[in-house]
Amino acid sequence: SSKKKSPEVISDSHPNLILTQNAVSDIKKELGNVPIFDATLSKAKEEIDKAIAKGIDVPIPKDMAGGYTHTQHKANYSNMQKAGVLFQILGDEKYAVYVRDMLLQYAEMYPTLGRHPQPRSYARGKFFWQCLNDSNWLVYTSQAYDCIYDWLPKEQTDYLNKTLFRPYADFLSIETPQYFNRVHNHSTWGNVAVGLIGLVMDDDELVQRALYGLSKDDVDLTKKDNDGGFIYDKDGKAGFLANLDQPFSPDGFYTEGPYYQRYAMYPFMIFAEALQNKKPELKIFEYKDGVLLKAMDALLNLTDADGEFFPLNDCQKGMSYYTTSLVSALNIAYYYGNQKPELLSVAKAQNKVQLDASGLAVAMGIRDEKAKPFVKTSIELSDGANGDEGAVGILRYNDSLNTMALVMKYTGQGLSHGHYDKLSFSLYENGEEILQDYGLSRYVNVEQKNGGGYLKENKTWAKQTIAHNTIIQDEVPHFNGDFATGSKNHSEKYIYDVSNAKVQVMSAKENNAYSGTDLHRTMVMIKEEALEKPFVIDMFRVNSDKTHQFDLPYYYFGQIIAEGFEAKTPSSLSALGSKNGYQHLWKEASGKSNTESLQFTWLNNRKFYGLTTATKTDDTILLARLGANDPKFNLRNDPAFIIRRNAKETIFATVIEPHGNYNPVTEKADGAYSEIKEVKVLFNSEKYSALSIDLKSEEQRVFIISNDNASDKASHILEVNGHTYQWKGTHYYN
Amino acid sequence: SSKKKSPEVISDSHPNLILTQNAVSDIKKELGNVPIFDATLSKAKEEIDKAIAKGIDVPIPKDMAGGYTHTQHKANYSNMQKAGVLFQILGDEKYAVYVRDMLLQYAEMYPTLGRHPQPRSYARGKFFWQCLNDSNWLVYTSQAYDCIYDWLPKEQTDYLNKTLFRPYADFLSIETPQYFNRVHNHSTWGNVAVGLIGLVMDDDELVQRALYGLSKDDVDLTKKDNDGGFIYDKDGKAGFLANLDQPFSPDGFYTEGPYYQRYAMYPFMIFAEALQNKKPELKIFEYKDGVLLKAMDALLNLTDADGEFFPLNDCQKGMSYYTTSLVSALNIAYYYGNQKPELLSVAKAQNKVQLDASGLAVAMGIRDEKAKPFVKTSIELSDGANGDEGAVGILRYNDSLNTMALVMKYTGQGLSHGHYDKLSFSLYENGEEILQDYGLSRYVNVEQKNGGGYLKENKTWAKQTIAHNTIIQDEVPHFNGDFATGSKNHSEKYIYDVSNAKVQVMSAKENNAYSGTDLHRTMVMIKEEALEKPFVIDMFRVNSDKTHQFDLPYYYFGQIIAEGFEAKTPSSLSALGSKNGYQHLWKEASGKSNTESLQFTWLNNRKFYGLTTATKTDDTILLARLGANDPKFNLRNDPAFIIRRNAKETIFATVIEPHGNYNPVTEKADGAYSEIKEVKVLFNSEKYSALSIDLKSEEQRVFIISNDNASDKASHILEVNGHTYQWKGTHYYN
Ligand SMILES: [Ca+2]
Ligand SMILES: [Ca+2]
Ligand SMILES: [Ca+2]
Ligand SMILES: [Mg+2]
Ligand SMILES: [Mg+2]
Ligand SMILES: [Mg+2]
Ligand SMILES: [Mg+2]
């Protein structure tokens, strides 16, 4: 008769961590009536029944990632976590027995272990080659332990606490300070592992350590981590809360980028859920103005139309919000946030839920048809703990047929996973990349490729400036590729104005990537009534104290339809340079632009694209392809169109237009030609930059940006070629 | 009350060509009750109402393909054909008026025209730059004319017949013998154009000319066409029936290949339908043992899992059985054949029908849920008018999750669109190419690419032997690339045995591609119980009178995961050769195999593939990429793995295995390693070839083929390494 959710009560009886006693009772009432929850449960049961039939295997740790003992210990914690839940929900003791017996084997083995025999990590674990994986183990196993805690005799919990769990928590923290105390997603896992087991054992010392880090006395403050990060955060804070304070901006953007945010979201949210259940007085979901809930929204917004993350910084392409860690995170955000119906549509696409109160709420919401579409619109996400260290800007245009997304990065360095990619951008159409960010150079878990770890080419190529759609001066990366310098600086937001859906503008400046040179990029998404799809204006202004060579690459995909310049194709190919990533590019063709406006047309995935750019007649145009100096064939052989110009002060003014499509069945080429005839720079100074766009329809458009006044109230007058332009605000388009 | 189809009666009243009076009356009865027919009709109505509103435009011919007058005349015939049908079915005179007024404009213009001003074709047309397009015009317009014939006053039909249609038919035939009399898909259009208008006007002279060609007195028998084809067929026959006799094999395979068969199917079937309606005594659908109906089945079998044609000979990839011409052809084959329910499932996917009795029957069949799946299984399709000029062999394996298709080409030359690709193959998984045939080098109707016509690279690359997965001797193409020589020869079928679904074998020989050298390839599709997917054995035996260099390329796609040999990657790239296609390949890496069994692993579309090959230790392995000497960027930059061996007699023995997949969301690499450890040649002579396959499971398999006895009754004994193998039939596998 009670269809209403019973009020959540705090209880000292287990489970009270993620799954709670109240949740179990609610779940039992709904079971059989909540399709997605039921299906997830039944899949977990099938999986664990199979594991139980196979028997317990707790091998002596030996292998690297991908190897046998590694894989087995991973399977063990995942199975225990599910078995714990099944025990609570289904009440069948065999699941508790399975968890108990496995824990006893771990407890027996644990005291015999030194650090893992594989020496590759700066923070070697016990069961795994790195503490990160051991933390994963403890995060999942804590949940399993909580589920059988009250079922175990007290002498057994005493034994496990003393022999296995407390020593393990100390090992991951006090004994490994370089790992535990960082501001880094790995450390978050460590903090949460220690915090969760602390909550299970009611060991408040561990919970405090998880929240606030180790005492500073235990740490050598001068040391750096082997991956280039610092051990201690700027403000000398550490622990879970420091990892919320520092890498998250007030908008919920995580400075390492969405790929690592996705990975960190699970421990962040699962610990938050546990804290909310056991220490509601902390109001963890309100912490930093609700940053955890904002982080969930930010992450969803950092995906293309397929739900795949924009590959900012180190990111393996194809990772998406369908990953299990985001199922949990999203369920928790829904339940402990404001039950936003937009989240339900994402959960529906995920088609599984977390087996707790949050997952039940989501499954019931979907069942009761409360879901609303999650429409991704234009958004700017600030970077930096205080939101004042640049941002990621996203301009979007959606109609019934197409979605376009333009992503510009004007952030800080992004910790150890950051790339030297100031003011870089990427462009998407319906979830496909038009102009790409390369992502990382790694085949995660593909053993043949360096054991699945980062490849050398991540440093020699993927992090390099030339690997990105941005300006490279004199073939040298931003900040000369120096991590410490990069980490001290960030780009500056200048304009982000999406008030007019037909003329959306973002603009940012970077004055530190090159000493003596200021960079300023303005990107505009324009939707003209007469054109089916929006086009993008890209104005990249460079201002230096002396003449340099500036390269501006565009990493397109597919087949060249018209190159638009007199391309000389050499009879043998050489690399474009010898270092800083240039050594990896084959110079396939080059030529002078010989014109004031050049148009490059290509075909990809049966769609036509055009890049029309206002060149100087002696600009060099390069066509390059990745793959040089790649002895292990680690790189993708992707192409690039590069504008090279020697100048002191100049502006690169370009329009990118998706303009047609090809149907191989009807063999019709619709819109094979750009709607844009010419792009010209009308004016460029410290105060204003103006370009003209000649359309095929014989109409002309002019775009002007104010370079030194971002006020939307300022009035401007500019005379160009005898024509007076007058406007209010940051920009003019007509 | 009459649900039964009214008996078809021959009538002299129009329409009686494609749409008949009986059909019109049947259609009217069913209208509103046949969803696919209704939808097709309503779409046609919408389209033509729009065209009528826009008004008639019959411009003076001027432009090439893609240009304004070309496009307009194409639209005109298509609109007239639909308007004629709409007039008959809907009874609204405005459609008849539209056709009449347009025809009168054509009749007025026609006498003023010489040949088309554009000089590019050997057979310039009137309304178009080539007679082929003029024939298209007449094929469609004849149908429109038939639909309004009885509605027009006799003086108007007399006028049109005399001023426009009879002269036009003579122009396309008597005045253009080089075009009209060929055995070639273009000529079929010409024959059918003349034949259809002959049937409409009851002009039997034209019908006879269409069926049997011009009188030989009118033709210079020594002349060749500009595209390399012969004017007259070997037996001196011409016309529609010769075009059925000669290029079609008894299995319905069309020697030009499926892409051009698809194009020719419309005129073949539409004329057959008209003949069946007006001259049933010809029994055209029974001609050559029912070759037209077989051709439809053959064509459907020559598609991958997506319905896309295998790109044998000149073929633009992506063309599929969804093309409109195959909607008509399939409807006609269904109605005039045995109403095979398998055809209905294809029609259902096409989701439109021809607006006549055949389309009505198909739409009703679908409505009445008669459709059965069209399952493509292994099939061999003979080539040659008598089926004795080689074949295309297809081995397939289908289960609920996967379809694999292995296509091997051991045909004749294939007329002017043929490639020098004897014993070449391609491999498909679920409609994706694993190992590709390049197809043609052309962007049909993409004006920027040579006006949409064939590119130079079609000859310098796409037709070349090195562009295919087959043996090239001394870097010289088959038949030295000579069309006349190639046309005199064909490969020989040797074995095609698919009686055991787990061990399917095809084998063919080519003794004329190189004088003094015999080539013999055996391909086997093996399904092992323990492996999820089938693998392919490729045994390519070469037997020469002296030592040559033999290259065997495999055109894979995607990312190298493990190259399997010591690859040297040069610091600058040069082309692999200077001619015969080699000039288009960059040599990206090379090395000695240094082993008796080499394994090459790659990842494409998130799936892992392995190629394990029994090398000689001094074989050279080359990694190449297309794109050298390509000044207009016409080529795709696809990669190849090439085995190079100097030998007199040898065998290339290789296993190709799809063995795993990668999930970027779970980041799991399942089956990243091949299940095959080693492949070795156990024996190779004129009589037998044997290879062993060592599996990771420590089991060994042996495959033996009899090289000189294709009898499935012969008994064989072979002793190898002290082991005696005994079997009956062509091959042994255990
Ligand atoms: Ca740190
Ligand atoms: Ca995507
Ligand atoms: Ca396909
Ligand atoms: Mg990057
Ligand atoms: Mg500066
Ligand atoms: Mg070919
Ligand atoms: Mg020979």
Side-chain angles (χ1 to χ4, degrees), chain A residues 259 316 443-445 447-449 559-560 563 572-573 625 632-633 635 637 662 665 667 672-673, chain B residues 259 316 319 443-445 447-449 559-560 563 572-573 625 632-633 635 637 662 667 672-673:
Chain A
Y259 180 72
Q316 181 164 279
Y443 295 82
V444 182
N445 292 327
E447 205 184 37
Q448 294 103 317
K449 291 290 192 190
Q559 186 71 34
I560 297 174
E563 62 278 18
S572 73
L573 293 192
R625 185 174 302 274
K632 300 312 283 177
F633 311 102
L635 296 169
N637 298 84
Y662 187 76
V665 175
E667 296 189 328
Y673 291 95
Chain B
Y259 181 73
Q316 181 165 279
M319 178 56 77
Y443 295 82
V444 181
N445 292 326
E447 204 183 38
Q448 293 104 317
K449 290 290 192 190
Q559 187 71 33
I560 296 175
E563 62 278 18
S572 75
L573 294 191
R625 186 174 302 275
K632 299 312 283 176
F633 312 101
L635 296 169
N637 298 84
Y662 188 76
E667 296 188 329
Y673 290 94

Side-chain angles (χ1 to χ4, degrees), chain A residues 181-184 225 229-234 237 415:
Chain A
N181 244 34
R182 295 169 70 191
V183 170
H184 189 288
D225 300 322
F230 297 102
I231 293 181
Y232 238 97
D233 120 298
K234 299 182 199 177
K237 295 194 292 185
L415 303 181

Side-chain angles (χ1 to χ4, degrees), chain A residues 260-274:
Chain A
Y260 281 96
Q261 179 168 358
R262 166 272 327 172
Y263 185 58
M265 280 310 276
Y266 183 76
F268 274 120
M269 295 301 267
I270 208 82
F271 192 42
E273 182 175 21

Side-chain angles (χ1 to χ4, degrees), chain B residues 564-627:
Chain B
F565 67 103
E566 279 206 37
K568 290 187 201 78
T569 50
S571 60
S572 75
L573 294 191
S574 48
L576 204 54
S578 61
K579 57 177 190 294
N580 299 333
Y582 281 78
Q583 73 277 19
H584 290 305
L585 287 170
W586 294 118
K587 183 173 142 186
E588 290 196 326
S590 65
K592 289 289 168 196
S593 64
N594 282 332
T595 172
E596 288 198 327
S597 180
L598 180 156
Q599 191 165 74
F600 178 74
T601 309
W602 71 96
L603 177 67
N604 190 43
N605 281 331
R606 304 182 174 174
K607 288 193 273 296
F608 291 100
Y609 300 95
L611 183 157
T612 312
T613 186
T615 43
K616 307 282 181 187
T617 54
D618 61 347
D619 284 355
T620 298
I621 307 297
L622 298 160
L623 299 178
R625 186 174 302 275
L626 193 53

